[in-house]
Amino acid sequence: MMAARKRMGATKGICLGVVAVALVAGVAGCSGAGSEAEGSGLGAVNGAAGEKKKGAAAAPKRVFRAIGDGSTAFTGVQPKQPAVHRLATGQKPPQFVVFSWDGAGEDGQRLFSHFREVGKKYGAVMTYFLSGVYLLPEGRRDQYDPPKHNAGASDIGFNDTEGIRDTLAQLRGAWQDGNEIGTHFNGHFCGKDGGVGTWSVEEWKSEINQAKSFVRGWKTNAPVLKNETALPFDYDKELVGGRTPCLEGQKNMVAAARTMGFRYDSSGVNDQVWPQKKSGVWDLSMQLVPVPGRDFETLSMDYNFMFNQSGTTQGDPAKHEYWGNQMRDGLLQAFDRAYDGNRAPLIIGNHFESWNGGTYMRAIEQTIAAVCTKKDVRCVSFRQLADWLDAQDPATLAKLRTLKVGQAPKHGWPEFLKKGAGRERPASKTPPAAAGNQAGQ
């Protein structure tokens, strides 16, 4: 998938699913200040008190139209979506932060429901990447026919009735809270032996179609749940992006997904610079961030910090607190160098897990509390970020992409983004916190 480099850190280990633990080899991530004028970005709900900022769209009128077997329904425009504005000439960009969750499902840890409440507390909208097999009961596993594997195979298992019911409840609430429901696809196959990195474009189309079908048809696949309330969205329209298992197979997946309504992908490795489109979709991949006290950077994901620290999900209990603090502080350093520098969106990925005593969940919650309450910060979903990027002047985005990691405009934002301003010269040297943060693919 990518060339191994010291600055990436170690990249293989274990991914945790809702139902089972999947052994995965060779992965890079599991699936890893001044003011601005009002109206310069997404008008979002931010701040500990949840104060609604100007520019937010009015609550849409609710409707209900069942789709298919009634597993999903069209209920109108998604509520709690912010208005989108183009930057004015010379205006400083908001600081976007995206918190996302791979394989989102509700199990006995109740982390899906917990982080929904965290998001509401601190004004953070997030992206939940659902694994389709989490809505498929074990008894109907043969409904899944994965590429290069036998029907009914899955490296993260399937679900039981209560697990499906609980996950559906969280998906409904998350969408109604304004969050995004993306996809982590289905069986989480990694590696060279039939893993997602070996799949053709047509095989990816099959995988995506099956992920949609499990969301659209859970009442058929789990008839005992037929009286449960429908998911309040049309998944064919709701699904506009995802993250591949183990960050493998990105090229062929994007080639398939761009013909199926996807607007972005988060399956690669980037620096903390302004994103651009690749193959027609926004490349909103995770990023390389500092590891405090170490001489390399790693991906902005709980899994990668865990593997570089302990190499196992059950490391030395005496070091749990330190490891969580190290991840939190690394993410905060990454935030600070963007917030005070180039204002590039910060992309963070996680799993609902209890690795090393749950220390990474604590780190993420503390990071959300620290950054989403700051001035000019927009904690948004990938879909909302893509909306904002699509609304901008392409020349403005091109200018923003000339800024390196942590590099603020030399003469300030009004001069840098004024109409007709010349190209900003690159920094004479890379900021210390960003040194050597390139990764091969």
Side-chain angles (χ1 to χ4, degrees):
M1 185 190 90
M2 62 181 66
R5 297 200 181 196
K6 180 182 180 183
R7 300 234 170 236
M8 261 309 292
T11 58
K12 62 181 179 178
I14 301 173
C15 293
L16 184 65
V18 168
V19 184
V21 174
L23 298 180
V24 182
V27 303
C30 292
S31 298
S35 67
E36 60 168 325
E38 287 288 353
S40 65
L42 285 167
V45 177
N46 280 93
E51 181 182 357
K52 189 173 184 179
K53 297 196 174 185
K54 293 180 182 179
K61 183 179 179 180
R62 307 317 299 160
V63 297
F64 184 92
R65 184 170 69 247
I67 299 172
D69 69 354
S71 294
T72 58
F74 174 73
T75 60
V77 177
Q78 185 178 11
K80 302 181 182 178
Q81 294 306 292
V84 180
H85 302 278
R86 177 174 286 199
L87 285 175
T89 300
Q91 195 165 25
K92 186 176 185 176
Q95 177 62 59
F96 292 106
V97 184
V98 181
F99 291 93
S100 55
W101 302 90
D102 286 8
E106 179 84 333
D107 64 2
Q109 299 176 100
R110 305 296 177 190
L111 289 170
F112 196 158
S113 51
H114 174 76
F115 277 97
R116 277 186 55 219
E117 293 304 312
V118 171
K120 287 187 282 189
K121 180 178 180 179
Y122 296 110
V125 172
M126 308 184 200
T127 292
Y128 296 97
F129 289 129
L130 172 67
S131 292
V133 292
Y134 292 166
L135 297 186
L136 187 64
E138 175 75 25
R140 298 296 295 272
R141 61 186 301 157
D142 286 348
Q143 295 295 310
Y144 177 41
D145 188 12
K148 300 190 186 321
H149 293 271
N150 294 329
S154 169
D155 275 356
I156 54 171
F158 296 86
N159 215 336
D160 58 24
T161 299
E162 289 307 307
I164 295 173
R165 179 183 284 113
D166 291 344
T167 296
L168 289 168
Q170 296 310 313
L171 292 171
R172 289 188 207 99
W175 189 85
Q176 290 164 342
D177 290 341
N179 300 285
E180 177 190 8
I181 310 302
T183 187
H184 199 41
F185 306 97
N186 296 304
H188 210 290
F189 301 106
C190 301
K192 296 180 179 179
D193 187 16
V196 297
T198 70
W199 293 0
S200 69
V201 173
E202 291 304 312
E203 287 171 329
W204 270 112
K205 288 181 179 179
S206 172
E207 179 77 354
I208 295 168
N209 278 325
Q210 290 187 80
K212 289 183 177 182
S213 74
F214 300 143
V215 177
R216 293 190 308 241
W218 54 266
K219 286 193 175 186
T220 297
N221 290 324
V224 68
L225 299 175
K226 64 181 180 181
N227 293 325
E228 294 289 320
T229 304
L231 292 173
F233 50 78
D234 179 347
Y235 203 47
D236 280 327
K237 294 181 173 59
E238 169 68 14
L239 182 56
V240 295
R243 182 177 292 138
T244 64
C246 309
L247 306 187
E248 296 176 0
Q250 181 185 36
K251 181 178 179 180
N252 283 351
M253 187 280 288
V254 169
R258 70 188 180 200
T259 70
M260 304 173 73
F262 277 42
R263 297 174 54 206
Y264 74 85
D265 169 63
S266 188
S267 305
V269 179
N270 287 337
D271 290 326
Q272 281 182 264
V273 294
W274 280 89
Q276 60 185 327
K277 282 188 174 181
K278 293 183 179 180
S279 301
V281 302
W282 287 108
D283 179 11
L284 304 180
S285 297
M286 286 179 299
Q287 299 162 332
L288 292 166
V289 299
V291 182
R294 305 290 295 272
D295 64 349
F296 60 83
E297 298 199 338
T298 194
L299 275 185
S300 49
M301 176 173 266
D302 51 2
Y303 171 82
N304 294 81
F305 275 89
M306 177 274 294
F307 196 83
N308 280 290
Q309 291 164 338
S310 62
T312 174
T313 61
Q314 303 298 322
D316 183 356
K319 296 181 179 179
H320 287 176
E321 183 176 5
Y322 172 78
W323 287 333
N325 291 347
Q326 188 178 52
M327 177 179 170
R328 177 201 63 205
D329 293 345
L331 295 177
L332 292 178
Q333 287 180 23
F335 172 84
D336 288 342
R337 72 184 183 190
Y339 187 67
D340 298 327
N342 63 2
R343 284 291 176 103
L346 175 60
I347 310 299
I348 298 173
N350 309 282
H351 303 77
F352 293 136
E353 42 82 0
S354 57
W355 303 333
N356 286 329
T359 195
Y360 307 110
M361 297 294 91
R362 172 182 61 84
I364 287 298
E365 186 166 344
Q366 290 174 343
T367 301
I368 293 170
V371 306
C372 295
T373 55
K374 288 185 177 292
K375 183 178 178 61
D376 301 338
V377 173
R378 305 287 182 263
C379 290
V380 300
S381 68
F382 281 117
R383 184 174 194 152
Q384 291 172 345
L385 177 56
D387 287 344
W388 187 88
L389 292 168
D390 281 337
Q392 303 311 303
D393 183 341
T396 298
L397 293 179
K399 192 72 185 300
L400 289 170
R401 285 194 287 269
T402 68
L403 296 172
K404 295 180 180 293
V405 176
Q407 180 190 2
K410 183 176 180 181
H411 300 293
W413 286 100
E415 176 69 19
F416 181 66
L417 290 180
K418 73 179 183 181
K419 190 173 183 179
R423 180 183 176 89
E424 180 85 354
R425 292 183 179 182
S428 59
K429 63 180 181 179
T430 305
N437 61 347
Q438 299 293 327
Q441 292 193 47

